[in-house]
């Protein structure tokens, strides 16, 4: 059972370690994902900023075509000296030139502005242009107040962001010059409408969702290859309201990367930035939004995994590990459970069928060995109650629990007054011949024996003493019935079952001349009894496969004698000691029983 | 006075030519025509006083100058044109709208409504000087709404929406004061209203304010009655430079001032002064 237990423990440890590592991995993955999302959002925000600058550069460069347009130059030069723009004849030509340019280059609005800030010509490709063109037609309409225009009229090229009617325009301007090192005669201003198409183009280049917002109006764009639902990446009015109190946004112009909202399987993060230009003070800005996969617990990974993730799993190795572990567990179970159980089942079956008298504990392992021994004891008791002699009784089962004795003190039997010898009506035996002094109590006499023999005898002597299962002596009652045993009529002498061929004579301990002699009241022949015990002991050892070649009777007898002497000396009134051979845990063993 | 009002009387002179030698001759001729044309419009008692400004280079456009500072985040790129002179790149003020030349005389109560046009990221004029009790009317000529207000709220000019083609009136509280007006929708718009009891209403009844006509070249004209005045330039809502004492004599249609009105200390003057 040890292998199985170790295997279960190993499996539990591996499982626990796996769960631990899974949570560690989940924590690392979550932290990494958050940091990665922040870095990505920051990089994307920088990319948007760079795009705005680069795009403005390009658009400003494209205005150069108009600054050199002869009609434009002539009209602006005329306007500079004109009291009223109505006197400028080239205005229609300017308008045509501006319109052609705006349509060709994709500008939403293009203005030609004279040195006084007045609008000489306008071209607008938007649907809302009517209001702008009407305004431009007014004599007071001008654009000289914008810093962008002032800069252009002073020889600067730059960009800006305007917000008109909650619509954002990215604007560039450059001066119109007639002579080198002279004052510009006017400026050309071009505007790009920041609408969904404009933002889509930015999102495609940046790789994340982008939204431009101004006064509640939002222009949004999502990369074309994005698999996200567009609504997940939108900036809501509630999101924009939070910016009012955002310290980073108000002071630094950009928020830190933060979670915008949590979706079932994703985290939506965003960075909000204020839009450079006049829009900086108009509440206009842009947001870069990114959707990151999210697993709230290790169990969520199954749900968020995609096909590619599942394909990357080394299924073969995992299957092999699982199958190997299962097989190993099955083998352990087979070795430690199925096979011993089957063997035990067969032995019990044979016992039940009468093919054997006893179970052979030596043929079993682990708990089965103990169970077999217990069954044997139980059978003995049942047989004893039934008046059938089955073999030597266990001293402990007869006398009750013995006081604790040091191991190997085979003859440290209970004190004389504790022995219920009187109730047992044991036959008397002649006083044995004095023998040499016994060994120290608690030690095993070993003189004259080889180590193996000494070990065998020591093991034998380690067994507690038991009364002899004399055939003429009634089987002693169980421990609990010891006190009343004397008053109760003894059962009829048990008769041993025929062990048959499967029960060798050597294991049918208890047979021999001693019981018969005692029953007949003849003089007890200790020498013959000990020889019989020796023969039985050797036979049992051979049967159990123990080495017995070097065990001689003389050495065996000396050991018995010394131990007998020790017992007699310890227990007053004890006349002799009866030894019995039996099998214990697959090995031959002896039991010594002092007899009064 | 609006740009149009000013132009009706002064644009020949203002637009006669600037920043170029070739235009000076035409400018003188146009100024002469202006005087001839304007003479019937002014009262017989008024004299058209003509003068020139000194130190205008020191007057910088506050909005553009502020926007040119990279720390204010007004652009993603700003580069000079290589073919424009360095002198031209200085963000000087647009004098016709940003500088107000006023004749300070005896205290008087203003009458009429001073018209202010809101368009193109600023008002016309940018700095306006009025008498006590005068009303200003802001006309929105832009195609979108404006939300003007006075900074600090001491003038009682609260934020309110002015739709396109609509107008909004406001009378500053009594007493000399300067009010700065801004627009929530157009950050570049900054207007200064100066209430000056001593300001002499100088031009046509349509304008009803005290600012004379200023050209881009640094010339100005004022229609003044007979008397002694101190001419003073107002820029960004405050008097700049030095006062120029003027005595307007009766019986003259026009009077050229021999000395310039100093509105700022030019860089060259600063160097001379050490």
């Amino acid at each position: 059972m040890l292998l199985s237990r170790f295997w279960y423990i190993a499996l539990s440890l591996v499982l626990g370690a796996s769960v631990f590592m899974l949570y560690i991995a989940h924590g690392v993955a979550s932290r990494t994902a958050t940091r990665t999302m922040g870095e990505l959002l920051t990089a994307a925000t920088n990319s948007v900023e760079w795009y705005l600058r680069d795009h403005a550069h390009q658009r400003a460069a494209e205005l150069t075509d108009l600054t050199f347009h002869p009609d434009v130059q002539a009209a602006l030069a005329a306007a500079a000296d004109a009291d009223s723009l109505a006197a400028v004849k080239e205005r229609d030509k300017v308008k045509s030139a501006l319109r052609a340019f705006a349509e060709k280059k994709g500008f939403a609005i293009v203005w030609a502005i004279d040195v006084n800030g007045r609008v000489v010509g306008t071209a607008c490709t938007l649907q809302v242009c009517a209001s702008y063109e009407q305004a431009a037609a007014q004599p007071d309409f001008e654009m000289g107040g914008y810093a962008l225009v002032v800069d252009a009229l002073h020889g600067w090229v730059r960009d800006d962001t305007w917000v008109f009617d909650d619509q954002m325009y990215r604007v560039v301007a450059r001066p119109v010059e007639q002579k080198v090192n002279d004052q510009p005669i006017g400026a050309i201003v071009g505007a790009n409408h920041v609408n969904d198409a404009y933002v889509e183009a930015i999102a495609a280049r940046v790789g994340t969702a982008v939204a431009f917002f101004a006064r509640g109006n939002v222009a949004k764009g999502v990369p074309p290859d994005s698999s996200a639902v567009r609504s997940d990446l939108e900036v809501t009015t509630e999101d924009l309201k939070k910016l009012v109190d955002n310290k980073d946004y108000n002071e630094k112009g950009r928020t830190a990367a933060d979670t915008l909202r949590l979706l079932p399987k994703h985290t939506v993060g965003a960075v909000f930035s204020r839009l450079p230009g006049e829009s900086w003070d108009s509440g206009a800005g842009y947001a870069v939004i990114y959707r990151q996969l999210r697993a709230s617990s290790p169990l969520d990974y199954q749900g968020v995994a995609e096909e590619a993730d599942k394909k990357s799993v080394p299924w073969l190795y995992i299957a092999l590990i699982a199958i190997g572990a299962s097989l190993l567990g099955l083998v352990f179970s087979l070795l430690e459970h199925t096979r011993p159980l089957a063997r035990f089942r067969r032995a019990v079956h044979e016992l039940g069928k009468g093919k054997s008298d006893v179970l052979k504990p030596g043929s079993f392992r682990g708990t089965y060995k103990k169970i077999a021994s217990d069954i044997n004891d139980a059978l003995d008791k049942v047989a004893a109650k039934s008046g059938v002699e089955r073999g030597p009784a266990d001293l402990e089962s007869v006398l009750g629990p013995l006081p604790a004795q040091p191991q190997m003190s085979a003859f440290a039997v209970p004190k004389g007054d504790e022995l219920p010898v009187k109730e047992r009506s044991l036959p008397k035996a002649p006083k044995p011949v004095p023998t040499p002094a016994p060994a120290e109590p608690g030690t095993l006499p070993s003189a004259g024996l080889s180590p193996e023999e000494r070990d065998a005898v020591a093991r034998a002597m380690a067994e507690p003493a038991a009364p002899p299962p004399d055939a003429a002596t009634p089987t002693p009652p169980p421990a609990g019935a010891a006190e009343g045993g004397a008053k109760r009529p003894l059962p009829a002498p048990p008769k041993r079952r025929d062990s048959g061929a499967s029960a060798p004579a050597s294991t049918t301990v208890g047979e021999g001349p001693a019981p018969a002699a005692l029953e007949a009241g003849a003089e007890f022949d200790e020498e013959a009894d000990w020889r019989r015990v020796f023969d039985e002991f050797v036979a049992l050892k051979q049967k159990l496969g123990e080495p017995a070649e070097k065990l001689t009777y003389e050495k065996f007898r000396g050991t018995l004698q010394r131990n007998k002497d020790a017992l007699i000396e310890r227990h007053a009134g004890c006349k002799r000691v009866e030894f019995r051979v039996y099998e214990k845990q697959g090995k031959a063993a002896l039991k010594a029983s002092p007899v009064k | 006075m609006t740009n149009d009002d000013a132009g009706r009387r002064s644009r020949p002179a203002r637009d006669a030519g600037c920043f170029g030698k070739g235009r000076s001759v035409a400018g003188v001729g146009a100024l002469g025509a202006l005087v001839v044309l304007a003479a019937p419009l002014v009262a017989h008692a008024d004299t058209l006083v003509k003068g020139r400004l000194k130190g205008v280079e020191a007057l910088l456009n506050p909005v553009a100058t502020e926007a040119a500072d990279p720390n204010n985040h007004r652009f993603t790129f700003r580069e000079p044109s290589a073919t424009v002179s360095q002198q031209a790149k200085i963000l000087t003020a647009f004098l016709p709208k940003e500088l107000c030349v006023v004749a300070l005389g005896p205290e008087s109560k203003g009458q009429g409504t001073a018209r202010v046009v809101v368009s193109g990221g600023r008002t016309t004029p940018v700095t306006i000087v009025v008498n006590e009790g005068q009303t200003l009317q802001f006309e929105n000529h832009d195609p979108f709404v404006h939300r003007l207000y006075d900074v600090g709220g001491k003038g009682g000019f609260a934020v309110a929406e002015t739709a396109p083609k609509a107008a909004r009136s406001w009378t500053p509280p009594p007493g000399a004061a300067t009010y700065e007006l801004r627009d929530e929708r157009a950050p570049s718009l900054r207007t200064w209203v100066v209430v000056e009891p001593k300001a002499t209403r100088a031009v046509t009844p349509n304008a009803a304010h005290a600012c004379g006509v200023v050209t881009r070249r640094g010339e100005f004209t004022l229609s003044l009655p007979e008397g002694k005045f101190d001419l003073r330039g107002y820029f960004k809502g405050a008097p700049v430079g030095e006062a120029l004492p003027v005595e307007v004599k009766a019986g003259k249609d026009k009077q050229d001032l021999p000395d310039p009105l100093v509105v700022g200390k030019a860089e060259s003057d600063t160097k001379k002064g050490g």
Side-chain angles (χ1 to χ4, degrees):
Chain A
M1 290 299 186
L2 285 179
L3 279 177
S4 297
R5 289 173 183 170
F6 282 131
W7 184 238
Y8 297 145
I9 293 172
L11 285 180
S12 301
L13 290 175
V14 170
L15 180 62
S18 300
V19 173
F20 173 78
M21 291 305 297
L22 195 58
Y23 272 92
I24 290 288
H26 171 63
V28 172
S30 298
R31 182 167 46 82
T32 305
T34 303
R35 188 172 58 193
T36 303
M37 184 177 72
E39 291 173 351
L40 190 147
L41 285 170
T42 303
T45 303
N46 291 335
S47 298
V48 172
E49 189 178 323
W50 295 331
Y51 175 86
L52 293 175
R53 182 181 305 151
D54 183 61
H55 187 250
H57 259 294
Q58 292 181 19
R59 299 301 263 175
E62 289 171 353
L63 293 180
T64 309
D65 293 346
L66 271 182
T67 62
F68 288 110
H69 197 284
D71 291 336
V72 173
Q73 288 209 345
L76 292 178
D81 295 330
D83 181 36
S84 170
L85 292 180
V88 180
K89 299 176 182 177
E90 296 87 353
R91 290 189 73 185
D92 290 338
K93 291 182 180 178
V94 170
K95 192 171 183 179
S96 299
L98 295 180
R99 177 162 292 280
F101 175 82
E103 291 174 350
K104 180 182 176 183
K105 298 294 185 180
F107 278 94
I109 312 175
V110 180
W111 292 278
I113 299 172
D114 75 354
V115 73
N116 300 305
R118 296 176 298 183
V119 177
V120 176
T122 304
C124 182
T125 59
L126 298 176
Q127 292 180 346
V128 296
C129 282
S131 59
Y132 287 92
E133 289 175 343
Q134 286 177 5
Q138 297 182 71
D140 291 328
F141 186 71
E142 57 127 359
M143 297 180 67
Y146 297 109
L148 171 95
V149 177
V150 175
D151 263 344
L153 293 176
H154 284 82
W156 293 87
V157 184
R158 58 164 281 196
D159 69 331
D160 204 337
T161 307
W162 292 345
V163 181
F164 294 154
D165 274 344
D166 302 338
Q167 297 293 317
M168 288 165 284
Y169 297 91
R170 287 285 296 152
V171 194
V172 291
R174 68 179 311 123
V176 178
E177 307 163 46
Q178 265 190 325
K179 295 177 182 176
V180 176
N181 264 347
D182 203 352
Q183 177 83 10
I185 58 172
I188 298 295
V189 178
N192 283 104
H193 187 205
V194 181
N195 52 16
D196 287 354
Y198 180 87
V199 182
E200 287 277 358
I202 297 178
R205 285 167 173 78
V206 174
T208 61
V210 181
F212 283 67
F213 52 87
R215 299 176 187 142
N217 181 45
V218 180
K220 48 190 175 296
V222 176
D225 57 346
S226 174
S227 60
V229 180
R230 294 181 74 95
S231 60
D232 291 346
L233 304 177
E234 286 186 351
V235 174
T236 64
T237 307
E238 293 300 318
D239 299 331
L240 299 179
K241 284 181 179 176
K242 296 175 184 173
L243 296 178
V244 176
D245 300 325
N246 191 298
K247 187 178 180 182
D248 286 341
Y249 183 76
N250 293 319
E251 294 181 359
K252 300 177 183 175
R254 181 189 288 190
T255 66
D258 200 2
T259 301
L260 194 62
R261 66 181 68 91
L262 291 176
L263 302 176
K265 293 182 181 178
H266 296 89
T267 300
V268 178
V271 168
F272 291 86
S273 298
R274 298 171 79 174
L275 199 52
E278 286 205 350
S279 55
W280 189 270
D281 290 333
S282 301
Y286 61 91
V288 175
I289 308 127
Y290 183 71
R291 192 185 68 160
Q292 177 89 26
L293 273 176
R294 179 177 70 95
S296 57
S297 74
L299 300 177
D300 284 352
Y301 284 104
Q302 174 71 16
V304 300
E306 297 177 353
E307 282 303 316
D309 303 324
K310 294 174 183 175
K311 285 180 181 176
S312 66
V313 175
W315 292 109
L316 180 61
Y317 293 116
I318 293 176
L320 288 177
I321 290 172
I323 292 172
S326 300
L327 288 178
L328 205 54
L330 289 174
V331 168
F332 291 154
S333 173
L334 186 67
L335 290 176
E336 296 188 334
H337 178 73
T338 306
R339 286 185 61 188
L341 182 61
R343 187 183 302 164
F344 188 75
R345 184 178 57 80
R346 283 196 302 272
V348 172
H349 181 73
E350 289 176 357
L351 183 66
K353 290 289 185 182
K355 294 180 180 177
S356 65
D357 255 357
V358 292
L359 295 173
K360 301 172 186 174
S363 62
F364 305 117
R365 299 179 63 183
T367 305
Y368 293 107
K369 183 181 289 185
K370 179 70 169 59
I371 294 173
S373 178
D374 290 345
I375 289 175
N376 283 342
D377 291 344
L379 288 175
D380 284 345
K381 291 175 182 176
V382 171
K385 285 181 179 178
S386 304
V388 177
E389 174 57 39
R390 278 182 49 85
D394 194 322
L395 182 61
E396 190 174 12
S397 65
V398 174
L399 300 178
L402 294 173
Q405 299 284 345
Q407 195 175 8
M408 305 302 291
S409 62
F411 298 98
V413 295
K415 296 177 180 177
D417 52 353
E418 294 176 355
L419 288 174
V421 177
K422 292 179 180 177
E423 284 89 354
R424 299 181 65 200
S425 302
L426 293 175
K428 294 182 179 180
K431 192 171 183 179
V433 179
T435 55
E440 288 292 322
T443 59
L444 188 70
S446 58
L449 288 177
S450 71
E452 294 176 349
E453 294 164 344
R454 191 166 56 245
D455 178 57
V457 174
R459 191 168 59 248
M461 293 298 104
E463 297 302 323
D470 199 324
T473 306
T475 303
E483 294 179 357
K487 299 175 182 177
R488 195 175 59 188
L490 292 174
K495 293 182 178 178
R496 187 150 190 89
R497 282 177 57 183
D498 184 13
S499 59
S502 61
S506 59
T507 59
T508 55
V509 293
E511 289 184 0
L518 289 173
E519 188 176 4
E523 188 70 20
F524 177 70
D525 187 354
E526 187 178 62
E527 190 66 24
D529 184 61
W530 284 7
R531 186 166 292 280
R532 177 187 58 80
V533 172
F534 175 73
D535 293 341
E536 289 180 358
F537 186 73
V538 171
L540 185 57
K541 284 180 71 73
Q542 289 174 344
K543 179 178 180 296
L544 297 177
E546 292 185 83
E549 293 79 11
K550 295 182 180 178
L551 181 61
T552 62
Y553 175 71
E554 285 72 22
K555 295 176 181 176
F556 186 77
R557 184 183 183 285
T559 301
L560 295 184
Q561 184 63 53
R562 285 191 294 275
N563 288 284
K564 173 192 169 188
D565 296 343
L567 274 177
I568 290 175
E569 183 180 341
R570 183 176 299 177
H571 300 283
C574 178
K575 295 178 180 176
R576 65 185 180 88
V577 175
E578 189 174 286
F579 296 99
R580 300 191 69 83
V581 178
Y582 77 108
E583 180 186 333
K584 185 173 185 182
Q585 296 184 347
K587 293 185 178 178
L590 282 175
K591 289 185 179 178
S593 304
V595 178
K596 286 187 176 179
Chain B
M1 186 184 72
T2 66
N3 189 32
D4 196 39
D5 299 327
R8 197 174 302 151
R9 295 182 63 246
S10 64
R11 268 179 190 149
R14 187 192 66 196
D15 299 334
C18 52
F19 306 104
K21 294 177 181 176
R23 293 172 188 161
S24 59
V25 177
V28 172
L31 190 61
L34 165 70
V35 172
V36 172
L37 290 172
L41 298 177
V42 299
H44 289 293
D46 289 350
T47 300
L48 190 63
V49 178
K50 177 191 170 190
R52 53 192 171 86
L53 301 171
K54 184 179 180 184
V56 293
E57 301 86 354
L59 304 180
L60 301 180
N61 184 314
V63 174
T65 303
E66 185 179 290
D69 185 351
N71 294 325
N72 291 326
H73 311 284
R74 290 295 188 272
F75 53 82
T76 64
F77 84 97
R78 181 175 182 268
E79 298 169 351
S81 172
T83 52
V84 175
S85 68
Q86 291 298 321
Q87 183 67 26
K89 290 191 182 105
I90 298 172
L91 299 175
T92 52
F94 186 61
L95 298 178
K97 301 198 178 196
E98 298 185 53
L99 180 67
C100 179
V101 177
V102 179
L104 301 176
E107 289 191 7
S108 61
K109 291 290 182 182
Q111 294 179 346
T113 299
R115 182 170 170 256
V116 179
V117 174
V118 182
S119 176
R122 64 185 172 193
T123 61
T124 301
V126 174
T127 293
I128 183 171
V129 179
V130 296
N131 290 122
E132 248 184 321
Q134 271 194 279
T135 299
L136 294 98
Q137 178 170 286
F138 298 90
E139 300 175 4
N140 183 6
H141 288 199
D142 273 333
F144 45 84
V145 298
H146 284 280
R147 290 173 59 83
L148 298 173
Y149 65 97
D150 74 300
V151 179
K154 63 179 181 179
F157 193 52
V159 178
E161 196 166 278
T162 307
K165 299 181 182 178
R168 180 184 176 197
S169 296
W170 172 55
T171 302
T178 299
Y179 304 94
E180 181 182 357
L181 309 185
R182 289 202 175 190
D183 185 5
E184 281 189 347
R185 295 299 177 90
S188 65
L189 191 149
R190 296 179 70 181
T191 298
W192 289 270
V193 176
V194 179
V195 179
E196 175 54 67
K198 293 183 178 179
T200 302
R201 182 173 145 183
V203 289
T204 65
N206 289 337
H209 57 70
C211 296
V213 176
V214 182
T215 68
R216 280 193 295 131
R217 295 183 59 200
E219 296 162 343
F220 66 91
T221 54
L222 282 167
S223 293
L224 297 174
E226 182 184 3
K228 292 184 178 178
F229 302 93
D230 282 337
L231 299 185
R232 194 70 191 262
Y234 280 79
F235 183 73
K236 291 199 301 184
V240 291
E242 302 167 0
L244 177 65
V246 174
E247 182 177 0
V248 178
K249 297 176 180 177
K252 286 186 177 180
D253 290 337
K254 66 173 185 178
Q255 181 177 336
D256 289 333
L257 301 179
D259 297 322
L261 172 63
V262 178
V263 292
K265 189 169 284 188
E267 191 176 351
S268 56
D269 295 339
T270 307
K271 289 179 180 176
K272 286 176 184 175

